[in-house]
Amino acid sequence: MSKPSIGYNDTPMLPNSKWRVHDGKRPQPRRVIPGNNPSQPPSDAIILFNGEDTSKWVGRDGGPVRWKVENGVLIVKPGTGDIQTKQHFGDCQLHIEWAAPAEVKGEGQGRGNSGVFLMGRYEIQILDGYNNVTYADGTTAAIYGQYPPLVNACRKPGEWQTYDIFFVAPRFKGEKLISPAYVTVVHNGVLVHHHVELLGQTGHRILPSYKPHPPKGPIKLQDHGDPVRFRNIWIRELKGYDE
Ligand code: MG
């Protein structure tokens, strides 16, 4: 057998794959131009908020967004409700920057509370967790009601913080859960959840469980009554290795 120009065609088949080890026919990875630093969107990112407007979002009941955009920053307007993306996503990489109010008010869950909900259902907590004690599974970067972050990497109130979230959506067949959701979260460059299996959708004072839902859902940001600020929000849709 002649050796192909790249790779091999006489090597073992990889398990659960249509490719051989070093298979020369295996598709090349798609080219993506990275941002100038890891916070900046790469070429294939969908920009959800770039400092200008909320055109990618809807407010309560699908109505207009009533949060404020000021000086390139999106600010929760307490009492106006959560906002969510018009576009829906499944497996994804999400980058989001946020800051708790510089003026410290309240304590525990009442200080700088917001949240990022993957698929509108699975919350990564946003909270001012800097010198602010609350239940561990509700602090900054917790998978709310399920898992505390591995460490508290919170910056001071008013300072910008980053979440980089890597999410694998759950799979359902009819009413049945085929595979659970998994999430990895990096907070300010620090790994705080490493491929954690979610117990179900986020709730308060209840044991989480899965309820069947479509394969894609919105990114939702929470109005929890605090004027938390956001900037530089982008997302990449992830496809399977063999697609
Ligand atoms: Mg919250």
Side-chain angles (χ1 to χ4, degrees), residues 132-150:
N132 179 31
V133 175
T134 183
Y135 42 88
D137 67 16
T139 193
T140 318
I143 298 169
Y144 186 81
Q146 301 186 27
Y147 298 100
L150 294 169

Side-chain angles (χ1 to χ4, degrees), residues 87-100:
Q87 189 172 343
H88 289 194
F89 304 94
D91 298 353
C92 64
Q93 171 184 354
L94 175 68
H95 176 86
I96 188 162
E97 301 182 18
W98 61 272

Side-chain angles (χ1 to χ4, degrees), residues 160-182:
W160 285 103
Q161 317 209 31
T162 60
Y163 283 169
D164 289 282
I165 299 172
F166 309 88
F167 181 70
V168 179
R171 266 65 170 172
F172 297 93
K173 194 170 189 178
E175 299 287 296
K176 194 167 175 274
L177 179 73
I178 300 298
S179 67
Y182 294 93

Side-chain angles (χ1 to χ4, degrees), residues 62-136:
V65 173
R66 293 171 60 206
W67 295 14
K68 287 180 288 187
V69 178
E70 256 174 30
N71 303 320
V73 173
L74 174 63
I75 310 163
V76 177
K77 189 172 177 191
T80 63
D82 302 341
I83 68 170
Q84 64 181 48
T85 54
K86 293 175 182 170
Q87 189 172 343
H88 289 194
F89 304 94
D91 298 353
C92 64
Q93 171 184 354
L94 175 68
H95 176 86
I96 188 162
E97 301 182 18
W98 61 272
E103 185 193 345
V104 174
K105 271 190 192 162
E107 56 187 309
Q109 293 293 303
R111 184 184 297 181
N113 194 334
S114 180
V116 183
F117 286 74
L118 287 314
M119 307 191 89
R121 292 171 170 85
Y122 307 98
E123 185 184 15
I124 306 302
Q125 173 71 308
I126 287 175
L127 190 85
D128 176 8
Y130 189 86
N131 291 336
N132 179 31
V133 175
T134 183
Y135 42 88

Side-chain angles (χ1 to χ4, degrees), residues 210-233:
Y210 281 98
K211 297 174 182 63
H213 58 71
K216 292 187 175 186
I219 302 298
K220 185 171 87 175
L221 301 180
Q222 186 184 42
D223 168 13
H224 200 283
D226 297 318
V228 172
R229 297 177 294 150
F230 293 91
R231 70 178 186 190
N232 192 23
I233 309 173

